[in-house]
Short mmCIF file of all heavy atoms in Angstrom, two decimals:
data_model
loop_
_atom_site.label_atom_id
_atom_site.label_comp_id
_atom_site.label_asym_id
_atom_site.label_seq_id
_atom_site.Cartn_x
_atom_site.Cartn_y
_atom_site.Cartn_z
N MET I 542 90.56 63.44 99.54
CA MET I 542 90.93 64.67 100.20
C MET I 542 89.66 65.35 100.70
O MET I 542 88.89 65.86 99.92
CB MET I 542 91.68 65.56 99.22
CG MET I 542 92.00 66.90 99.76
SD MET I 542 93.02 67.86 98.65
CE MET I 542 91.76 68.77 97.81
N ASP I 543 89.43 65.31 101.98
CA ASP I 543 88.28 65.97 102.55
C ASP I 543 88.72 67.32 103.08
O ASP I 543 89.28 67.42 104.15
CB ASP I 543 87.70 65.14 103.70
CG ASP I 543 87.11 63.84 103.20
OD1 ASP I 543 86.48 63.89 102.13
OD2 ASP I 543 87.28 62.81 103.85
N VAL I 544 88.44 68.36 102.31
CA VAL I 544 88.81 69.70 102.74
C VAL I 544 87.57 70.45 103.17
O VAL I 544 86.50 70.28 102.61
CB VAL I 544 89.52 70.49 101.62
CG1 VAL I 544 90.94 70.06 101.50
CG2 VAL I 544 88.81 70.35 100.31
N GLY I 545 87.71 71.27 104.17
CA GLY I 545 86.59 72.08 104.60
C GLY I 545 85.60 71.38 105.50
O GLY I 545 84.55 71.92 105.80
N THR I 546 85.89 70.17 105.95
CA THR I 546 84.97 69.46 106.83
C THR I 546 85.40 69.64 108.27
O THR I 546 86.53 70.01 108.56
CB THR I 546 84.91 67.96 106.49
OG1 THR I 546 86.20 67.40 106.73
CG2 THR I 546 84.51 67.74 105.04
N LYS I 547 84.49 69.33 109.19
CA LYS I 547 84.80 69.44 110.62
C LYS I 547 85.96 68.53 111.00
O LYS I 547 86.75 68.86 111.87
CB LYS I 547 83.58 69.09 111.45
CG LYS I 547 82.48 70.11 111.41
CD LYS I 547 81.37 69.71 112.34
CE LYS I 547 80.12 69.56 111.53
NZ LYS I 547 78.99 69.11 112.29
N ASP I 548 86.04 67.37 110.36
CA ASP I 548 87.06 66.39 110.72
C ASP I 548 88.40 66.66 110.06
O ASP I 548 89.38 65.98 110.33
CB ASP I 548 86.60 64.99 110.32
CG ASP I 548 85.35 64.57 111.07
OD1 ASP I 548 85.12 65.10 112.18
OD2 ASP I 548 84.61 63.73 110.56
N HIS I 549 88.45 67.65 109.19
CA HIS I 549 89.69 67.95 108.47
C HIS I 549 90.74 68.45 109.45
O HIS I 549 90.52 69.36 110.23
CB HIS I 549 89.44 69.00 107.39
CG HIS I 549 90.68 69.43 106.67
ND1 HIS I 549 91.37 68.60 105.85
CD2 HIS I 549 91.34 70.61 106.68
CE1 HIS I 549 92.42 69.25 105.38
NE2 HIS I 549 92.41 70.46 105.86
N LYS I 550 91.90 67.84 109.40
CA LYS I 550 93.01 68.27 110.25
C LYS I 550 93.88 69.23 109.47
O LYS I 550 94.16 69.03 108.31
CB LYS I 550 93.82 67.06 110.70
CG LYS I 550 93.03 66.13 111.60
CD LYS I 550 93.87 64.94 111.99
CE LYS I 550 93.02 64.00 112.83
NZ LYS I 550 93.74 62.78 113.13
N ARG I 551 94.34 70.24 110.12
CA ARG I 551 95.13 71.29 109.47
C ARG I 551 96.38 70.73 108.78
O ARG I 551 96.77 71.18 107.73
CB ARG I 551 95.51 72.36 110.48
CG ARG I 551 96.21 73.54 109.87
CD ARG I 551 96.35 74.65 110.89
NE ARG I 551 96.91 75.82 110.29
CZ ARG I 551 96.23 76.77 109.68
NH1 ARG I 551 94.93 76.67 109.59
NH2 ARG I 551 96.82 77.81 109.18
N ASN I 552 97.00 69.74 109.37
CA ASN I 552 98.24 69.20 108.82
C ASN I 552 98.02 67.91 108.03
O ASN I 552 98.95 67.14 107.85
CB ASN I 552 99.24 68.95 109.95
CG ASN I 552 99.67 70.24 110.61
OD1 ASN I 552 99.80 71.25 109.95
ND2 ASN I 552 99.87 70.20 111.90
N GLN I 553 96.83 67.69 107.55
CA GLN I 553 96.54 66.48 106.79
C GLN I 553 97.38 66.46 105.52
O GLN I 553 97.49 67.45 104.82
CB GLN I 553 95.07 66.42 106.43
CG GLN I 553 94.70 65.19 105.65
CD GLN I 553 93.22 65.15 105.33
OE1 GLN I 553 92.47 66.02 105.75
NE2 GLN I 553 92.80 64.16 104.60
N ARG I 554 97.97 65.31 105.22
CA ARG I 554 98.78 65.17 104.01
C ARG I 554 97.92 64.70 102.87
O ARG I 554 96.99 63.93 103.04
CB ARG I 554 99.91 64.19 104.25
CG ARG I 554 100.90 64.70 105.25
CD ARG I 554 102.00 63.72 105.45
NE ARG I 554 102.87 64.21 106.48
CZ ARG I 554 104.18 64.12 106.42
NH1 ARG I 554 104.74 63.53 105.40
NH2 ARG I 554 104.92 64.60 107.38
N LEU I 555 98.26 65.16 101.69
CA LEU I 555 97.56 64.75 100.48
C LEU I 555 98.33 63.62 99.82
O LEU I 555 99.56 63.64 99.80
CB LEU I 555 97.44 65.93 99.51
CG LEU I 555 96.72 67.16 100.03
CD1 LEU I 555 96.80 68.27 98.99
CD2 LEU I 555 95.28 66.83 100.34
N SER I 556 97.61 62.70 99.25
CA SER I 556 98.27 61.62 98.52
C SER I 556 98.69 62.13 97.15
O SER I 556 98.22 63.16 96.68
CB SER I 556 97.33 60.43 98.36
OG SER I 556 96.33 60.73 97.39
N ILE I 557 99.54 61.38 96.49
CA ILE I 557 99.96 61.73 95.14
C ILE I 557 98.75 61.74 94.21
O ILE I 557 98.68 62.52 93.27
CB ILE I 557 101.07 60.78 94.64
CG1 ILE I 557 101.67 61.29 93.33
CG2 ILE I 557 100.56 59.37 94.46
CD1 ILE I 557 102.52 62.51 93.48
N PHE I 558 97.77 60.89 94.49
CA PHE I 558 96.56 60.84 93.67
C PHE I 558 95.72 62.10 93.86
O PHE I 558 95.16 62.63 92.90
CB PHE I 558 95.75 59.59 93.99
CG PHE I 558 96.53 58.33 93.75
CD1 PHE I 558 96.97 57.56 94.82
CD2 PHE I 558 96.85 57.92 92.46
CE1 PHE I 558 97.70 56.41 94.60
CE2 PHE I 558 97.58 56.76 92.23
CZ PHE I 558 98.01 56.00 93.31
N ASP I 559 95.64 62.58 95.10
CA ASP I 559 94.92 63.83 95.38
C ASP I 559 95.59 65.00 94.65
O ASP I 559 94.92 65.84 94.05
CB ASP I 559 94.89 64.14 96.87
CG ASP I 559 94.01 63.19 97.65
OD1 ASP I 559 93.04 62.65 97.08
OD2 ASP I 559 94.29 63.00 98.86
N LEU I 560 96.91 65.04 94.71
CA LEU I 560 97.64 66.12 94.06
C LEU I 560 97.48 66.07 92.55
O LEU I 560 97.33 67.11 91.90
CB LEU I 560 99.12 66.07 94.44
CG LEU I 560 99.42 66.37 95.91
CD1 LEU I 560 100.89 66.11 96.21
CD2 LEU I 560 99.03 67.78 96.27
N GLU I 561 97.50 64.87 91.98
CA GLU I 561 97.32 64.73 90.54
C GLU I 561 95.91 65.18 90.14
O GLU I 561 95.72 65.85 89.12
CB GLU I 561 97.56 63.28 90.11
CG GLU I 561 97.35 63.05 88.63
CD GLU I 561 98.29 63.85 87.73
OE1 GLU I 561 99.40 64.19 88.14
OE2 GLU I 561 97.89 64.12 86.58
N ALA I 562 94.90 64.82 90.94
CA ALA I 562 93.53 65.23 90.66
C ALA I 562 93.40 66.75 90.76
O ALA I 562 92.73 67.38 89.92
CB ALA I 562 92.56 64.55 91.62
N LEU I 563 94.04 67.35 91.74
CA LEU I 563 94.02 68.80 91.90
C LEU I 563 94.69 69.48 90.71
O LEU I 563 94.18 70.45 90.16
CB LEU I 563 94.71 69.19 93.20
CG LEU I 563 94.69 70.67 93.57
CD1 LEU I 563 93.28 71.19 93.70
CD2 LEU I 563 95.46 70.89 94.86
N ARG I 564 95.83 68.93 90.29
CA ARG I 564 96.54 69.49 89.15
C ARG I 564 95.71 69.41 87.87
O ARG I 564 95.62 70.37 87.11
CB ARG I 564 97.86 68.75 88.95
CG ARG I 564 98.75 69.38 87.90
CD ARG I 564 100.04 68.67 87.80
NE ARG I 564 99.89 67.57 86.84
CZ ARG I 564 100.88 66.87 86.36
NH1 ARG I 564 102.10 67.08 86.79
NH2 ARG I 564 100.67 65.93 85.49
N GLU I 565 95.06 68.28 87.66
CA GLU I 565 94.24 68.12 86.46
C GLU I 565 93.01 69.03 86.51
O GLU I 565 92.62 69.62 85.50
CB GLU I 565 93.81 66.66 86.27
CG GLU I 565 93.05 66.43 85.00
CD GLU I 565 93.76 66.91 83.74
OE1 GLU I 565 95.00 66.77 83.64
OE2 GLU I 565 93.08 67.43 82.83
N ALA I 566 92.42 69.18 87.69
CA ALA I 566 91.27 70.09 87.83
C ALA I 566 91.69 71.53 87.55
O ALA I 566 90.95 72.29 86.91
CB ALA I 566 90.67 69.97 89.23
N PHE I 567 92.89 71.91 88.00
CA PHE I 567 93.39 73.25 87.72
C PHE I 567 93.61 73.44 86.22
O PHE I 567 93.21 74.45 85.65
CB PHE I 567 94.70 73.52 88.48
CG PHE I 567 95.31 74.84 88.15
CD1 PHE I 567 94.75 76.02 88.63
CD2 PHE I 567 96.42 74.92 87.33
CE1 PHE I 567 95.31 77.25 88.31
CE2 PHE I 567 96.99 76.15 87.01
CZ PHE I 567 96.42 77.31 87.50
N ARG I 568 94.23 72.45 85.58
CA ARG I 568 94.45 72.55 84.13
C ARG I 568 93.13 72.70 83.38
O ARG I 568 93.03 73.48 82.43
CB ARG I 568 95.20 71.32 83.63
CG ARG I 568 96.64 71.30 83.99
CD ARG I 568 97.30 70.05 83.45
NE ARG I 568 98.73 70.10 83.61
CZ ARG I 568 99.53 69.12 83.29
NH1 ARG I 568 99.04 68.00 82.79
NH2 ARG I 568 100.82 69.23 83.48
N GLN I 569 92.15 71.93 83.79
CA GLN I 569 90.83 72.01 83.15
C GLN I 569 90.23 73.40 83.35
O GLN I 569 89.67 73.99 82.43
CB GLN I 569 89.90 70.94 83.70
CG GLN I 569 88.54 70.95 83.05
CD GLN I 569 87.66 69.82 83.57
OE1 GLN I 569 88.11 68.93 84.28
NE2 GLN I 569 86.39 69.86 83.21
N SER I 570 90.37 73.93 84.55
CA SER I 570 89.87 75.27 84.84
C SER I 570 90.56 76.32 83.98
O SER I 570 89.93 77.25 83.49
CB SER I 570 90.05 75.58 86.32
OG SER I 570 89.59 76.87 86.64
N VAL I 571 91.87 76.16 83.81
CA VAL I 571 92.64 77.08 82.96
C VAL I 571 92.10 77.05 81.54
O VAL I 571 91.88 78.09 80.91
CB VAL I 571 94.15 76.74 83.00
CG1 VAL I 571 94.90 77.42 81.87
CG2 VAL I 571 94.74 77.12 84.35
N ARG I 572 91.87 75.84 81.02
CA ARG I 572 91.35 75.71 79.64
C ARG I 572 89.95 76.30 79.53
O ARG I 572 89.66 77.04 78.59
CB ARG I 572 91.32 74.23 79.23
CG ARG I 572 92.68 73.65 78.93
CD ARG I 572 92.57 72.26 78.33
NE ARG I 572 91.84 71.31 79.15
CZ ARG I 572 92.40 70.49 80.04
NH1 ARG I 572 93.71 70.49 80.21
NH2 ARG I 572 91.67 69.66 80.73
N GLU I 573 89.07 75.95 80.47
CA GLU I 573 87.68 76.41 80.40
C GLU I 573 87.54 77.92 80.54
O GLU I 573 86.62 78.51 79.99
CB GLU I 573 86.85 75.71 81.49
CG GLU I 573 86.63 74.24 81.23
CD GLU I 573 85.92 73.55 82.38
OE1 GLU I 573 85.69 74.18 83.43
OE2 GLU I 573 85.60 72.36 82.21
N ASN I 574 88.46 78.52 81.28
CA ASN I 574 88.38 79.96 81.53
C ASN I 574 89.34 80.77 80.68
O ASN I 574 89.51 81.98 80.89
CB ASN I 574 88.62 80.24 83.02
CG ASN I 574 87.52 79.69 83.87
OD1 ASN I 574 86.39 80.16 83.83
ND2 ASN I 574 87.82 78.66 84.65
N ASP I 575 89.99 80.12 79.72
CA ASP I 575 90.95 80.79 78.83
C ASP I 575 91.96 81.64 79.60
O ASP I 575 92.19 82.81 79.28
CB ASP I 575 90.22 81.65 77.79
CG ASP I 575 89.37 80.82 76.84
OD1 ASP I 575 89.83 79.72 76.47
OD2 ASP I 575 88.27 81.27 76.50
N VAL I 576 92.56 81.05 80.61
CA VAL I 576 93.53 81.75 81.45
C VAL I 576 94.90 81.71 80.76
O VAL I 576 95.37 80.64 80.38
CB VAL I 576 93.62 81.10 82.85
CG1 VAL I 576 94.66 81.80 83.71
CG2 VAL I 576 92.26 81.12 83.53
N THR I 577 95.51 82.87 80.62
CA THR I 577 96.84 82.92 80.02
C THR I 577 97.89 82.51 81.06
O THR I 577 97.64 82.57 82.27
CB THR I 577 97.18 84.33 79.50
OG1 THR I 577 97.25 85.22 80.63
CG2 THR I 577 96.15 84.81 78.50
N GLU I 578 99.06 82.13 80.58
CA GLU I 578 100.13 81.72 81.49
C GLU I 578 100.49 82.84 82.47
O GLU I 578 100.79 82.59 83.63
CB GLU I 578 101.36 81.30 80.70
CG GLU I 578 102.41 80.63 81.53
CD GLU I 578 103.52 80.03 80.71
OE1 GLU I 578 103.33 79.82 79.49
OE2 GLU I 578 104.59 79.77 81.29
N ALA I 579 100.41 84.08 82.02
CA ALA I 579 100.72 85.22 82.88
C ALA I 579 99.71 85.37 84.02
O ALA I 579 100.02 85.94 85.06
CB ALA I 579 100.76 86.50 82.06
N GLU I 580 98.52 84.81 83.85
CA GLU I 580 97.46 84.92 84.86
C GLU I 580 97.36 83.69 85.76
O GLU I 580 96.51 83.64 86.65
CB GLU I 580 96.11 85.13 84.17
CG GLU I 580 96.03 86.39 83.34
CD GLU I 580 94.79 86.43 82.47
OE1 GLU I 580 94.47 85.41 81.82
OE2 GLU I 580 94.13 87.47 82.45
N TRP I 581 98.21 82.69 85.54
CA TRP I 581 98.11 81.43 86.29
C TRP I 581 98.20 81.62 87.80
O TRP I 581 97.46 81.00 88.54
CB TRP I 581 99.17 80.45 85.83
CG TRP I 581 98.81 79.70 84.58
CD1 TRP I 581 97.78 79.97 83.73
CD2 TRP I 581 99.48 78.58 84.04
NE1 TRP I 581 97.78 79.10 82.69
CE2 TRP I 581 98.82 78.22 82.84
CE3 TRP I 581 100.59 77.85 84.42
CZ2 TRP I 581 99.22 77.15 82.06
CZ3 TRP I 581 101.00 76.79 83.63
CH2 TRP I 581 100.32 76.45 82.49
N ALA I 582 99.12 82.44 88.28
CA ALA I 582 99.31 82.61 89.73
C ALA I 582 98.03 83.13 90.38
O ALA I 582 97.57 82.58 91.39
CB ALA I 582 100.47 83.54 90.02
N ARG I 583 97.45 84.16 89.79
CA ARG I 583 96.21 84.72 90.34
C ARG I 583 95.08 83.70 90.25
O ARG I 583 94.29 83.53 91.17
CB ARG I 583 95.84 86.01 89.62
CG ARG I 583 94.63 86.68 90.27
CD ARG I 583 94.30 87.99 89.64
NE ARG I 583 95.45 88.89 89.76
CZ ARG I 583 95.66 89.93 88.99
NH1 ARG I 583 94.81 90.24 88.06
NH2 ARG I 583 96.71 90.70 89.16
N HIS I 584 94.99 83.02 89.11
CA HIS I 584 93.94 82.02 88.92
C HIS I 584 94.12 80.85 89.89
O HIS I 584 93.14 80.35 90.45
CB HIS I 584 93.93 81.51 87.48
CG HIS I 584 92.82 80.56 87.19
ND1 HIS I 584 91.51 80.95 87.10
CD2 HIS I 584 92.83 79.22 86.98
CE1 HIS I 584 90.76 79.89 86.85
NE2 HIS I 584 91.54 78.83 86.77
N ALA I 585 95.37 80.44 90.12
CA ALA I 585 95.64 79.34 91.06
C ALA I 585 95.18 79.71 92.47
O ALA I 585 94.57 78.89 93.16
CB ALA I 585 97.13 79.01 91.06
N GLU I 586 95.44 80.93 92.88
CA GLU I 586 95.01 81.37 94.20
C GLU I 586 93.48 81.31 94.32
O GLU I 586 92.94 80.79 95.29
CB GLU I 586 95.50 82.79 94.46
CG GLU I 586 95.18 83.30 95.84
CD GLU I 586 95.75 84.68 96.10
OE1 GLU I 586 96.59 85.17 95.32
OE2 GLU I 586 95.32 85.29 97.09
N HIS I 587 92.80 81.83 93.32
CA HIS I 587 91.34 81.80 93.31
C HIS I 587 90.83 80.36 93.26
O HIS I 587 89.89 80.00 93.97
CB HIS I 587 90.81 82.59 92.11
CG HIS I 587 89.33 82.48 91.94
ND1 HIS I 587 88.44 83.09 92.77
CD2 HIS I 587 88.60 81.79 91.03
CE1 HIS I 587 87.21 82.79 92.39
NE2 HIS I 587 87.28 82.00 91.33
N PHE I 588 91.46 79.53 92.43
CA PHE I 588 91.05 78.14 92.28
C PHE I 588 91.16 77.37 93.60
O PHE I 588 90.24 76.67 94.00
CB PHE I 588 91.93 77.47 91.20
CG PHE I 588 91.65 76.02 91.02
CD1 PHE I 588 90.58 75.58 90.26
CD2 PHE I 588 92.48 75.07 91.60
CE1 PHE I 588 90.33 74.23 90.09
CE2 PHE I 588 92.24 73.73 91.44
CZ PHE I 588 91.16 73.30 90.68
N VAL I 589 92.28 77.53 94.29
CA VAL I 589 92.48 76.82 95.56
C VAL I 589 91.48 77.31 96.60
O VAL I 589 90.87 76.50 97.31
CB VAL I 589 93.93 76.97 96.05
CG1 VAL I 589 94.08 76.46 97.48
CG2 VAL I 589 94.88 76.24 95.12
N LYS I 590 91.29 78.61 96.70
CA LYS I 590 90.33 79.14 97.67
C LYS I 590 88.92 78.63 97.41
O LYS I 590 88.22 78.23 98.33
CB LYS I 590 90.34 80.68 97.66
CG LYS I 590 91.55 81.26 98.33
CD LYS I 590 91.51 82.78 98.28
CE LYS I 590 92.73 83.38 98.93
NZ LYS I 590 92.73 84.84 98.87
N SER I 591 88.51 78.64 96.15
CA SER I 591 87.15 78.17 95.84
C SER I 591 87.02 76.68 96.06
O SER I 591 85.98 76.20 96.50
CB SER I 591 86.75 78.55 94.42
OG SER I 591 87.51 77.86 93.46
N THR I 592 88.08 75.92 95.79
CA THR I 592 88.05 74.48 96.03
C THR I 592 87.92 74.19 97.52
O THR I 592 87.15 73.32 97.93
CB THR I 592 89.32 73.81 95.46
OG1 THR I 592 89.38 74.06 94.05
CG2 THR I 592 89.32 72.32 95.70
N LEU I 593 88.66 74.92 98.33
CA LEU I 593 88.58 74.73 99.78
C LEU I 593 87.21 75.12 100.32
O LEU I 593 86.67 74.46 101.21
CB LEU I 593 89.67 75.54 100.49
CG LEU I 593 91.09 75.05 100.28
CD1 LEU I 593 92.07 76.04 100.90
CD2 LEU I 593 91.28 73.67 100.87
N GLN I 594 86.62 76.18 99.79
CA GLN I 594 85.30 76.62 100.24
C GLN I 594 84.22 75.60 99.89
O GLN I 594 83.30 75.40 100.65
CB GLN I 594 84.94 77.96 99.63
CG GLN I 594 85.72 79.11 100.23
CD GLN I 594 85.45 80.42 99.52
OE1 GLN I 594 84.84 80.46 98.47
NE2 GLN I 594 85.94 81.50 100.11
N LYS I 595 84.36 74.97 98.74
CA LYS I 595 83.38 73.97 98.32
C LYS I 595 83.42 72.76 99.23
O LYS I 595 82.40 72.10 99.41
CB LYS I 595 83.63 73.53 96.88
CG LYS I 595 83.31 74.57 95.86
CD LYS I 595 83.65 74.07 94.47
CE LYS I 595 83.49 75.15 93.44
NZ LYS I 595 83.95 74.70 92.11
N GLY I 596 84.60 72.45 99.77
CA GLY I 596 84.73 71.30 100.65
C GLY I 596 84.45 70.00 99.93
O GLY I 596 84.09 69.00 100.55
N SER I 597 84.64 70.00 98.63
CA SER I 597 84.33 68.80 97.86
C SER I 597 85.54 67.90 97.73
O SER I 597 86.66 68.32 97.93
CB SER I 597 83.85 69.20 96.47
OG SER I 597 84.87 69.89 95.79
N ARG I 598 85.28 66.65 97.39
CA ARG I 598 86.35 65.70 97.09
C ARG I 598 86.74 65.88 95.63
O ARG I 598 85.90 66.00 94.76
CB ARG I 598 85.90 64.27 97.31
CG ARG I 598 85.81 63.90 98.75
CD ARG I 598 85.49 62.43 98.90
NE ARG I 598 86.55 61.55 98.46
CZ ARG I 598 87.59 61.16 99.21
NH1 ARG I 598 87.71 61.62 100.42
NH2 ARG I 598 88.49 60.34 98.73
N LEU I 599 88.01 65.90 95.39
CA LEU I 599 88.51 65.96 94.02
C LEU I 599 88.53 64.54 93.47
O LEU I 599 88.99 63.63 94.13
CB LEU I 599 89.90 66.56 93.99
CG LEU I 599 89.98 68.01 94.43
CD1 LEU I 599 91.45 68.43 94.53
CD2 LEU I 599 89.26 68.89 93.45
N THR I 600 88.04 64.41 92.27
CA THR I 600 88.06 63.10 91.64
C THR I 600 88.60 63.22 90.25
O THR I 600 88.49 64.26 89.61
CB THR I 600 86.64 62.48 91.58
OG1 THR I 600 85.80 63.38 90.88
CG2 THR I 600 86.10 62.23 92.97
N ARG I 601 89.18 62.16 89.77
CA ARG I 601 89.67 62.14 88.39
C ARG I 601 88.52 62.03 87.45
O ARG I 601 87.53 61.39 87.71
CB ARG I 601 90.59 60.95 88.17
CG ARG I 601 91.90 61.10 88.84
CD ARG I 601 92.75 59.89 88.52
NE ARG I 601 94.11 60.21 88.89
CZ ARG I 601 95.15 59.92 88.17
NH1 ARG I 601 95.02 59.27 87.06
NH2 ARG I 601 96.34 60.27 88.56
N THR I 602 88.67 62.68 86.26
CA THR I 602 87.66 62.57 85.22
C THR I 602 88.26 62.01 83.98
O THR I 602 89.43 62.01 83.79
CB THR I 602 87.04 63.95 84.90
OG1 THR I 602 88.08 64.86 84.58
CG2 THR I 602 86.24 64.44 86.08
#
């Protein structure tokens, strides 16, 4: 998933593997930042914005 690059197309589809990596990265972020379930929506918004700004590839760990 190349996000934030010049070649990135607005309607680019993510693979199931990209989505799984994103989900796992979010879960890890929740654990590392001690985010409560009530704060997940706000944290998810921040997480996605910062991920897009980084323009990095998500990888499984």
Side-chain angles (χ1 to χ4, degrees):
M542 175 174 95
D543 293 320
V544 282
T546 64
K547 288 184 240 177
D548 297 335
H549 176 68
K550 295 179 183 175
R551 186 171 185 87
N552 295 325
Q553 180 179 357
R554 293 181 184 221
L555 301 175
S556 74
I557 190 71
F558 300 109
D559 290 332
L560 293 173
E561 179 61 27
L563 184 59
R564 188 177 88 169
E565 184 54 38
F567 176 74
R568 286 180 172 176
Q569 182 177 350
S570 179
V571 165
R572 286 189 303 267
E573 290 174 354
N574 293 292
D575 295 322
V576 178
T577 65
E578 191 171 342
E580 299 170 314
W581 278 12
R583 186 176 301 158
H584 184 71
E586 184 177 347
H587 173 73
F588 176 80
V589 170
K590 285 180 181 179
S591 67
T592 300
L593 291 173
Q594 287 174 350
K595 289 178 187 174
S597 62
R598 285 186 68 85
L599 295 173
T600 57
R601 289 182 165 223
T602 54

